[in-house]
């Protein structure tokens, strides 16, 4: 599987990464999913301390222990579970980040994290303090690089201006083109990579199409608009290839994107996604047609 450089780092991530949130808590079945990913050549595994109260990190770390030097592990920080596990609070403070990284390292069973990401963020956060925490962890050798997970242009702008981050994880798909307005062009200009999640738009852009649709629609698409748009996409672009291929290749066609992180709840899903990423890239004409058929969703609250 092809690899792309992550920002200005020396990390080269596969075009398809495994989003580990969906692998579940059964160690045997989750290990099969991770092993299938390794067999397909995937080297990028994304988890978070939030997932399953940290259990996800334990499973990922255990499954990758024997190939640790050959893979890139990304995890996230900032969401702090309440003691009774009834919910979590947001804490991007330096003190919490430097405490949380030690717990993530222990759960992952590793001495370092390849990519440590802030798991959200608002413009009201103590951004300078957060950046200082990441920079210190990098200097201490506990993390190799850092990034953020955000779709908020105002937050992304601040980290681009102030930090040495190498990546931004964001939701992006043919049905959610918000990042194209500002975030992706800015990141590409500054040499920072986008890592995209949600490429299949909750299954709407898989071959099941409207089977996954809600009567409420999706983002600012009504159900009727979804039916019309998905039908046109299938007819004009998806003929002769799987819709999953079109969806994943659309993300990879953007020059800012280094890797598409897709979840999987089975080894079969991993293999299908890997096949889609290895398929023929979209032509410039196909990308333009997709943009013509879909909305460039702009939500003012994310500015």
């Amino acid at each position: 599987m092809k690899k792309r450089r992550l920002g200005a780092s020396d990390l080269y991530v596969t075009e398809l990464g495994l989003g580990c949130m969906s692998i579940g808590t059964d160690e045997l079945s989750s290990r099969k999913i991770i092993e299938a990913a390794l067999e397909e050549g995937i080297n990028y595994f994304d988890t978070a301390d939030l997932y399953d109260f940290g259990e996800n990190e334990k499973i990922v770390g255990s499954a990758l222990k024997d190939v640790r030097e050959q893979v890139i592990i990304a995890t996230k920080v900032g969401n702090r579970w309440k003691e009774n596990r009834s919910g979590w609070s947001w804490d991007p403070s330096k003190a919490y980040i430097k405490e949380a990284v030690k717990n993530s390292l222990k759960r992952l069973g590793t001495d370092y994290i390849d990519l440590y990401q802030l798991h959200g963020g608002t413009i009201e956060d103590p951004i300078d303090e957060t950046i200082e925490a990441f920079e210190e962890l990098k200097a201490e050798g506990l993390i190799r690089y850092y990034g953020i997970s955000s779709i908020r242009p105002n937050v992304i702008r601040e980290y681009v201006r102030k930090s040495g981050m190498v990546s931004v994880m964001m939701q992006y798909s043919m049905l959610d083109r918000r990042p194209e307005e500002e975030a992706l062009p800015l990141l590409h200009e500054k040499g920072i990579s986008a890592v995209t999640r949600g490429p299949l738009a909750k299954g709407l852009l898989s071959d099941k199409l409207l089977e996954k649709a809600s009567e409420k629609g999706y983002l600012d698409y009504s159900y009727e608009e979804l039916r019309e748009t998905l039908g046109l996409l299938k007819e004009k672009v998806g003929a002769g290839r799987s819709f999953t291929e079109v969806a994943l290749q659309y993300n990879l066609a953007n020059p800012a994107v280094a890797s598409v992180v897709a979840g999987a709840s089975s080894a079969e899903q991993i293999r299908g996604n890997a096949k889609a990423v290895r398929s023929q890239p979209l032509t410039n004409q196909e990308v333009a047609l997709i943009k013509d058929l879909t909305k460039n969703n702009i939500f003012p609250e994310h500015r």
Side-chain angles (χ1 to χ4, degrees):
M1 184 174 293
K2 291 180 182 177
K3 297 177 182 177
R4 298 185 181 187
R5 188 181 184 186
L6 194 69
S9 76
D10 60 0
L11 302 178
Y12 285 80
V13 295
T14 45
E15 291 184 331
L16 177 66
L18 175 61
C20 297
M21 183 175 70
S22 59
I23 63 176
T25 55
D26 181 86
E27 192 154 359
L28 184 60
S29 61
S30 59
R31 187 177 285 270
K32 286 181 180 178
I33 295 170
I34 292 173
E35 286 174 353
L38 291 169
E39 288 168 5
E40 293 294 337
I42 292 169
N43 78 343
Y44 184 43
F45 297 84
D46 182 87
T47 180
D49 58 3
L50 184 68
Y51 303 158
D52 301 313
F53 308 105
E55 193 63 28
N56 195 265
E57 285 184 324
K58 290 181 182 177
I59 290 171
V60 170
S62 174
L64 296 175
K65 185 177 180 180
D66 292 339
V67 292
R68 179 66 187 96
E69 300 302 318
Q70 287 78 54
V71 297
I72 293 167
I73 295 177
T75 192
K76 310 183 196 76
V77 66
N79 293 297
R80 187 172 196 160
W81 279 109
K82 296 178 181 178
E83 285 190 20
N84 63 5
R85 296 188 174 185
S86 62
W88 61 84
S89 59
W90 177 242
D91 190 349
S93 68
K94 178 179 176 179
Y96 178 65
I97 291 171
K98 297 200 75 172
E99 171 194 338
V101 73
K102 295 173 185 175
N103 295 324
S104 284
L105 286 166
K106 184 177 180 180
R107 286 189 292 263
L108 288 164
T110 185
D111 296 328
Y112 65 94
I113 292 165
D114 297 290
L115 180 66
Y116 204 34
Q117 301 160 103
L118 186 68
H119 202 175
T122 71
I123 202 66
E124 288 78 30
D125 290 344
I127 292 175
D128 291 338
E129 180 182 325
T130 302
I131 293 169
E132 190 174 277
F134 284 127
E135 289 289 351
E136 287 184 10
L137 291 176
K138 187 177 175 184
E140 292 163 14
L142 297 180
I143 67 173
R144 295 176 68 188
Y145 299 97
Y146 65 92
I148 64 171
S149 177
S150 177
I151 60 168
R152 296 178 179 273
N154 56 0
V155 174
I156 293 170
R157 279 196 300 269
E158 282 298 289
Y159 278 90
V160 166
R161 185 169 68 88
K162 294 181 172 182
S163 81
M165 69 176 180
V166 298
S167 65
V168 178
M169 173 175 263
M170 62 183 68
Q171 181 170 302
Y172 179 48
S173 72
M174 292 189 289
L175 294 180
D176 185 358
R177 295 177 48 216
R178 286 173 288 177
E180 293 176 1
E181 176 72 5
E182 180 180 348
L184 289 172
L186 175 63
L187 294 179
H188 183 54
E189 177 192 342
K190 299 298 184 180
I192 299 167
S193 290
V195 175
T196 60
R197 59 179 176 82
L200 301 182
K202 296 184 176 179
L204 289 169
L205 296 174
S206 69
D207 291 313
K208 294 182 178 180
L209 296 174
L210 278 175
E211 288 179 33
K212 294 287 186 176
S214 162
E215 290 183 4
K216 296 178 182 178
Y218 182 74
L219 297 179
D220 57 349
Y221 284 90
S222 68
Y223 182 85
E224 289 303 317
E225 287 174 324
L226 274 180
R227 185 172 66 177
E228 179 182 0
T229 300
L230 292 175
L232 285 170
L233 287 170
K234 183 67 176 174
E235 176 189 348
K236 304 289 188 181
V237 190
R241 64 196 304 180
S242 79
F243 220 62
T244 299
E245 288 179 27
V246 177
L248 297 184
Q249 291 296 341
Y250 180 78
N251 280 29
L252 290 170
N254 191 291
V257 175
S259 183
V260 180
V261 174
S265 55
S266 68
E268 289 71 29
Q269 269 189 302
I270 283 285
R271 295 187 182 102
N273 290 342
K275 181 180 179 182
V277 165
R278 291 193 186 98
S279 67
Q280 189 71 22
L282 296 175
T283 64
N284 291 337
Q285 291 79 6
E286 287 174 319
V287 171
L289 180 56
I290 289 168
K291 290 181 177 181
D292 189 52
L293 294 173
T294 57
K295 296 181 180 181
N296 193 346
N297 320 86
I298 304 301
F299 292 177
E301 65 268 27
H302 290 291
R303 291 188 180 279

